[in-house]
Amino acid sequence: MASVRAFREQDIDQVTRLHQQVFPPDEGPAPDAAYETYFRDTFVGGPRPDSGFASLVAEEAGGELSGFLGVVPVRMALGGRQLWATVCTQFCVDPRRRGMAGLKLIRHHFAGSQDLSISDGANPVTMRLWRWAGGEAVLTCSLHFLRPLRPAQFALSVLAHRPGLGAAARLSPPARLL
């Protein structure tokens, strides 16, 4: 069973390989140097290296890393009170070790001293783990950006999926002209 510990610079090589295994690049392997630089600059040097918040790894008994949870600390203020928030990102777990490793990483992070933890994006499996670990998904406050290439067509497709507005789909030919 994996144990959770702080991510260290020596882990970068294993974590970049794990990340590429879980999230294969669209156009072949990413350049190793650029990938390693990203992980070093973001999660080792990071924007607030003195904050006390660390990214996490799940380590198997033999020393192999089976999971990673990137943590980026952010200073925030609420009503004049200074808070620490953490952005969880680049979460990945070896497909052969899924299950408890991911849940342990998130639970370990939630047990930290931050005032707020947010994720930069999560698929349904990650959202389920987030909830199991005691987190809450606040989708009404989530941001999703779209830049439609055909704005009129896009507007009609949104309207077509709304109750009582399906007739809008019949306006598709004029929308193409727009």
Side-chain angles (χ1 to χ4, degrees):
M1 174 106 26
S3 61
V4 175
R5 66 167 174 80
F7 173 67
R8 300 184 294 240
E9 189 164 3
Q10 304 90 291
D11 299 327
I12 290 174
D13 187 46
Q14 279 193 71
V15 168
T16 57
R17 279 187 307 216
L18 173 65
H19 194 270
Q20 285 182 320
Q21 176 188 356
V22 175
F23 302 108
D26 292 336
E27 298 176 17
D32 290 336
Y35 219 57
E36 289 175 9
T37 299
Y38 165 75
F39 276 87
R40 182 174 292 104
D41 290 352
T42 305
F43 304 114
V44 176
R48 302 248 185 198
D50 58 340
S51 68
F53 297 102
S55 296
L56 302 171
V57 293
E59 183 176 37
E60 299 298 321
E64 179 188 7
L65 300 184
S66 59
F68 175 76
L69 178 64
V71 175
V72 179
V74 179
R75 207 61 164 137
M76 300 180 86
L78 178 65
R81 182 173 158 235
Q82 292 292 308
L83 305 172
W84 277 110
T86 55
V87 179
C88 299
T89 184
Q90 306 303 335
F91 179 54
C92 58
V93 176
D94 184 326
R96 299 167 297 165
R97 311 281 175 129
R98 294 218 167 123
M100 290 305 293
L103 185 58
K104 286 174 86 171
L105 283 166
I106 295 173
R107 279 190 175 156
H108 189 92
H109 174 69
F110 282 175
S113 61
Q114 68 274 10
D115 298 293
L116 172 71
S117 291
I118 59 175
S119 175
D120 68 346
N123 63 27
V125 173
T126 301
M127 286 179 57
R128 191 167 47 244
L129 284 173
W130 190 270
R131 286 185 184 112
W132 283 347
E136 187 176 330
V138 186
L139 299 177
T140 57
C141 295
S142 296
L143 296 175
H144 296 275
F145 295 95
L146 297 172
R147 185 173 183 159
L149 298 175
R150 295 184 175 120
Q153 289 277 128
F154 175 73
L156 288 176
S157 70
V158 170
L159 290 175
H161 289 92
R162 304 273 185 203
L165 297 175
R170 289 191 301 257
L171 298 174
S172 185
R176 284 192 189 125
L177 293 174
L178 291 174

